[in-house]
């Protein structure tokens, strides 16, 4: 029986207590005779730039980090067989154009996971890891692509009540032109860190058909990030007796960057009581007090878990959400009802024409 620490669900929309598949028990596909599916194998390599990863030794590598280290140069591909890969992974800037593919085509079968938190002590005793250091996977390379993979951080507050640093990042993405297709991001606080390599670097990210779950600020950072047809799931908390439980988005867009987070054709659902979550709050970090966070949510369905009366909140005194770049357009659902117009800034049709993936991701912007 896996410990509670390793029992974060790999099934979208379930909790650790009810999961049918846990991080400690890889699915049956991990033991099939053809672990790499339609993507070839070391014996029938689809091209010389492809490497194969399998925890049972049927590939070129048994762990993801050693495969990343071996994938020198640019434009390499790693095909990853079903299984749970419990280790931190760093994709450095030198691995430009690297692609990671979950071999089965189903992100639930292949998980990259670890369990550090911001308050986890560093091995050398020099302090704690901090938010960035907690990431299970860190991507610094430009042109990175991931398909059909789960990125998870299964550190739990309930197992570590003495911790004050409870941020626990599943993936930190810093590279420009990063794309995720059909991926899942599982955690609690600070699940998906959509970032850039520097304050003056305006990294572009694209997330399509992805699933993200968490509770506090679980999609955050300063990237110019497009979330297209994604599913955001807010989780129940047992450590709080009242609302709010948390916030879906916490952008920290640089003031000079005209493009922050764009969410479109997506949905927000919840396992928590109605109105127990805010849609967003702005993050103005101490490292960039000139940040002016930006979030546009459009053509999306907001479930009853979102507080329709007051969907936004202020994170830091002196930086009210009303002074930031928050806007909505043509959203539906009980969490999108405009009951207090001043609390729900809306784009006009003319303004909305500029809030598109093409504008956010254009190389010529």
């Amino acid at each position: 029986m896996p410990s509670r620490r390793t029992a974060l669900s790999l099934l979208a929309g379930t909790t650790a207590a009810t999961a049918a598949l846990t991080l400690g028990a890889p699915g049956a596909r991990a033991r099939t005779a053809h672990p790499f599916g339609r993507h070839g194998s070391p014996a029938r390599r689809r091209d010389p730039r492809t490497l194969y990863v399998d925890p049972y030794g049927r590939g070129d590598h048994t762990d993801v980090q050693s495969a990343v280290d071996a994938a020198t140069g640019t434009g390499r591909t790693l095909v990853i067989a079903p299984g749970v890969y419990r280790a931190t992974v760093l994709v450095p800037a030198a691995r430009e154009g690297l692609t990671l593919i979950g071999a089965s085509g189903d992100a639930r079968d292949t998980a990259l996971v670890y369990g550090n938190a911001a308050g986890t002590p560093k091995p050398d005793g020099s302090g704690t890891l901090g938010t960035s250091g907690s990431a299970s996977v860190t991507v610094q390379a430009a042109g990175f692509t991931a398909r059909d993979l789960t990125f998870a951080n299964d550190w739990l507050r309930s197992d570590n009540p003495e911790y004050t640093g409870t941020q626990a990042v599943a993936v930190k993405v810093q590279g420009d032109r990063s794309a995720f297709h059909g991926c899942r991001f599982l955690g609690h606080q600070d699940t998906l860190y959509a970032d850039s390599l520097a304050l003056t670097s305006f990294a572009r990210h694209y997330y399509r058909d992805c699933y993200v779950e968490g509770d506090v600020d679980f999609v955050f950072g300063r990237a110019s990030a497009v979330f297209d047809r994604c599913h955001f799931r807010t989780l129940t908390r047992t450590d709080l007796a009242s609302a709010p439980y948390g916030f879906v988005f916490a952008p920290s867009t640089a003031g000079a960057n005209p493009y922050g987070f764009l969410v479109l054709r997506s949905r927000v659902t919840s396992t928590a009581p109605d109105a127990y979550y805010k849609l967003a709050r702005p993050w103005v970090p101490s490292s960039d007090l000139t940040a002016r966070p930006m979030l546009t949510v459009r053509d999306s369905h907001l479930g009853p878990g979102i507080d329709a009366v007051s969907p936004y909140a202020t994170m830091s005194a002196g930086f009210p959400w009303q002074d930031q770049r928050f806007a909505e357009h043509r959203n539906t659902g009980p969490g999108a009802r405009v009951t207090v117009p001043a609390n729900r800034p809306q784009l006009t049709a003319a303004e909305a024409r500029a809030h598109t993936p093409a504008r956010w991701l254009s190389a010529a912007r």
Side-chain angles (χ1 to χ4, degrees), residues 38-217:
R38 61 185 177 85
H39 300 285
S41 68
R44 302 183 64 179
R45 203 175 298 274
R46 69 179 195 175
D47 61 64
R49 303 189 66 77
T50 299
L51 295 174
Y52 296 88
V53 184
D54 175 63
Y56 298 96
R58 296 165 294 183
D60 301 301
H61 300 271
T62 58
D63 68 279
V64 176
Q65 186 63 63
S66 66
V68 170
D69 295 343
T72 56
T74 60
R76 302 294 296 271
T77 298
L78 306 184
V79 178
I80 306 174
V84 175
Y85 298 84
R86 176 166 286 280
T88 59
V89 175
L90 169 65
V91 180
R95 298 299 184 267
E96 184 173 352
L98 182 67
T99 296
L100 271 57
I101 299 174
S104 75
D106 186 336
R108 292 173 295 182
D109 292 331
T110 308
L112 281 58
V113 59
Y114 207 66
N116 282 330
T120 300
K122 293 180 179 179
D124 63 5
S126 62
T128 57
L129 292 175
T131 299
S132 293
S134 74
S136 299
V137 177
T138 301
V139 177
Q140 298 173 340
F144 175 84
T145 301
R147 295 183 181 274
D148 304 321
L149 291 169
T150 292
F151 300 86
N153 189 316
D154 61 355
W155 185 91
L156 295 174
R157 297 186 193 93
S158 56
D159 289 348
N160 301 274
E162 75 281 8
Y163 276 47
T164 56
T166 57
Q167 301 87 345
V169 177
V171 62
K172 180 177 182 178
V173 188
Q174 298 177 282
D176 187 30
R177 297 177 288 107
S178 295
F180 295 79
H181 299 269
C183 290
R184 303 168 72 241
F185 306 91
L186 309 184
H188 286 271
Q189 184 172 352
D190 292 7
T191 303
L192 172 54
Y193 194 170
D195 200 33
S196 68
L197 285 171
L199 290 176
T200 56
S201 173
F202 300 160
R204 294 161 292 180
H205 300 176
Y206 183 60
Y207 302 83
R208 175 66 184 253
D209 298 318
C210 291
Y211 171 87
V212 194
E213 70 176 29
D215 48 43
V216 178
D217 303 333

Side-chain angles (χ1 to χ4, degrees), residues 19-46:
L21 175 64
T22 71
L23 293 175
R29 294 194 204 193
R31 296 180 290 277
T32 63
H34 304 285
F36 305 111
R38 61 185 177 85
H39 300 285
S41 68
R44 302 183 64 179
R45 203 175 298 274
R46 69 179 195 175

Side-chain angles (χ1 to χ4, degrees), residues 119-360:
T120 300
K122 293 180 179 179
D124 63 5
S126 62
T128 57
L129 292 175
T131 299
S132 293
S134 74
S136 299
V137 177
T138 301
V139 177
Q140 298 173 340
F144 175 84
T145 301
R147 295 183 181 274
D148 304 321
L149 291 169
T150 292
F151 300 86
N153 189 316
D154 61 355
W155 185 91
L156 295 174
R157 297 186 193 93
S158 56
D159 289 348
N160 301 274
E162 75 281 8
Y163 276 47
T164 56
T166 57
Q167 301 87 345
V169 177
V171 62
K172 180 177 182 178
V173 188
Q174 298 177 282
D176 187 30
R177 297 177 288 107
S178 295
F180 295 79
H181 299 269
C183 290
R184 303 168 72 241
F185 306 91
L186 309 184
H188 286 271
Q189 184 172 352
D190 292 7
T191 303
L192 172 54
Y193 194 170
D195 200 33
S196 68
L197 285 171
L199 290 176
T200 56
S201 173
F202 300 160
R204 294 161 292 180
H205 300 176
Y206 183 60
Y207 302 83
R208 175 66 184 253
D209 298 318
C210 291
Y211 171 87
V212 194
E213 70 176 29
D215 48 43
V216 178
D217 303 333
F218 64 94
V219 181
F220 72 113
R222 63 171 175 254
S224 298
V226 174
F227 300 91
D228 190 359
R229 299 187 187 277
C230 292
H231 178 189
F232 305 92
R233 183 78 157 169
T234 61
L235 301 178
T236 297
R237 295 182 62 173
T238 59
D239 58 320
L240 294 179
S242 61
Y245 277 176
F247 315 83
V248 181
F249 303 102
S252 58
T253 321
N257 188 354
Y259 306 100
F261 287 177
L262 172 62
V263 180
L264 74 159
R265 298 177 291 198
S266 296
R267 59 190 172 118
V268 180
T269 64
S270 184
T271 64
D274 291 357
Y276 265 53
Y277 273 87
K278 305 290 187 182
L279 187 59
R281 62 178 179 174
W283 177 33
V284 179
S286 59
S287 59
D288 183 17
L289 296 179
T290 66
R292 192 161 175 248
M294 181 182 187
L295 168 70
T296 299
V297 181
R298 59 171 302 175
D299 303 295
S300 296
H301 185 87
L302 309 182
I306 297 300
D307 180 356
V309 176
S310 299
Y312 304 109
T314 294
M315 183 183 295
S316 303
F319 303 98
W321 74 262
Q322 293 89 343
D323 290 348
Q324 314 311 320
R325 295 174 284 178
F326 285 4
E328 301 178 51
H329 182 66
R330 295 197 316 189
N331 294 319
T332 60
R337 286 196 301 265
V338 180
T339 58
V340 182
N343 290 345
R344 306 212 73 144
Q346 303 288 316
L347 297 176
T348 66
E351 291 169 335
R353 285 194 285 273
H355 292 242
T356 64
R359 184 66 63 89
W360 253 245

